[in-house]
Amino acid sequence: MYFIKKITYWMIAWPAIIVFFLQHHDNKKKILMDIARFEQVRSLSSKGPQFWRLYKMMVAAAEFRSLYYMRVGHFSKILKYFLPGMKLCSVASTKTENVGGGVYIQHGWGMVLDAESVGENLWINQNVTVGYKGNGHPRIGNNVRIGTGAVVLGGITIGDNVNIGANAIVVKDVPSNTTVVSPSAYICKMDGVRVLKKL
């Protein structure tokens, strides 16, 4: 049964492998950085030729497929037919040339990435919104992690080595080497009366 499954996946994944070898050098390098990041985070083997490592990611990780389809642009329309990406996952709003390599998407459901630019080694979780506000799109530095449900809006700059916590709302610049979190939950109404009380 395993052999049949492997052959079937190979038949539907080979177009993605061909498209990889048609990419220009810079884009191919970013895709390889993405593969290496997924392998590192998921403790997978990084041994083997490029096409084999790409094949494993294409069949095993819907989040990687969504990212890969952003990377390959127009080719993605055909490839998505064979191997769909993460449902409700949209990373296509940011052009691949403006997104550094080493992106890792963890549980990408409902995730929107619409930034002016993104550095290397972005880690992004589910239900994150990075997008436009009246003064533009965010610029995100290197080694940034954006937690579940966070919102990053406007023409702001997120520095390098920043960790944005779950459900944080960020609408101002964030300096490098910092962690940003949302306020802790509190009770605002109790027995029909407005209050301000910590849990």
Side-chain angles (χ1 to χ4, degrees), residues 137-184:
H137 295 84
R139 292 171 302 285
I140 299 173
N142 297 315
N143 306 311
V144 172
R145 184 170 181 164
I146 306 177
T148 304
V151 177
V152 180
L153 297 176
I156 61 174
T157 299
I158 307 298
D160 296 335
N161 309 310
V162 170
N163 187 5
I164 298 174
N167 297 317
I169 298 173
V170 182
V171 292
K172 294 184 179 178
D173 291 350
V174 177
S176 295
N177 307 308
T178 56
T179 296
V180 179
V181 297
S182 63
S184 58

Side-chain angles (χ1 to χ4, degrees), residues 58-157:
M58 289 300 292
V59 299
E63 297 94 340
F64 176 82
R65 289 195 296 269
S66 293
L67 176 61
Y68 182 74
Y69 297 147
M70 179 210 54
R71 295 280 190 211
V72 300
H74 297 300
F75 288 110
S76 66
K77 292 175 183 159
I78 300 167
L79 298 178
K80 284 179 188 175
Y81 177 77
F82 296 102
L83 285 168
M86 177 68 77
K87 298 221 184 286
L88 302 175
C89 179
S90 172
V91 292
S93 301
T94 305
K95 294 180 180 177
T96 186
E97 57 265 23
N98 296 338
V99 179
V103 174
Y104 180 71
I105 301 171
Q106 186 176 44
H107 313 305
W109 303 288
M111 189 266 306
V112 175
L113 179 60
D114 185 13
E116 183 175 317
S117 62
V118 176
E120 293 183 351
N121 299 320
L122 172 69
W123 179 316
I124 193 165
N125 282 80
Q126 69 269 29
N127 298 321
V128 166
T129 299
V130 176
Y132 178 82
K133 193 180 168 204
N135 60 346
H137 295 84
R139 292 171 302 285
I140 299 173
N142 297 315
N143 306 311
V144 172
R145 184 170 181 164
I146 306 177
T148 304
V151 177
V152 180
L153 297 176
I156 61 174
T157 299

Side-chain angles (χ1 to χ4, degrees), residues 21-91:
F21 287 107
L22 295 175
Q23 298 299 300
H24 59 80
H25 176 72
D26 287 343
N27 210 33
K28 200 182 292 185
K29 181 180 172 186
K30 288 178 182 179
I31 293 167
L32 290 172
M33 288 176 70
D34 296 338
I35 292 170
R37 187 77 187 278
F38 270 78
E39 289 170 340
Q40 176 193 15
V41 173
R42 295 185 175 197
S43 300
L44 301 172
S45 171
S46 59
K47 295 178 181 176
Q50 294 173 351
F51 77 88
W52 178 248
R53 292 169 65 205
L54 174 62
Y55 165 76
K56 289 191 300 183
M57 284 296 107
M58 289 300 292
V59 299
E63 297 94 340
F64 176 82
R65 289 195 296 269
S66 293
L67 176 61
Y68 182 74
Y69 297 147
M70 179 210 54
R71 295 280 190 211
V72 300
H74 297 300
F75 288 110
S76 66
K77 292 175 183 159
I78 300 167
L79 298 178
K80 284 179 188 175
Y81 177 77
F82 296 102
L83 285 168
M86 177 68 77
K87 298 221 184 286
L88 302 175
C89 179
S90 172
V91 292

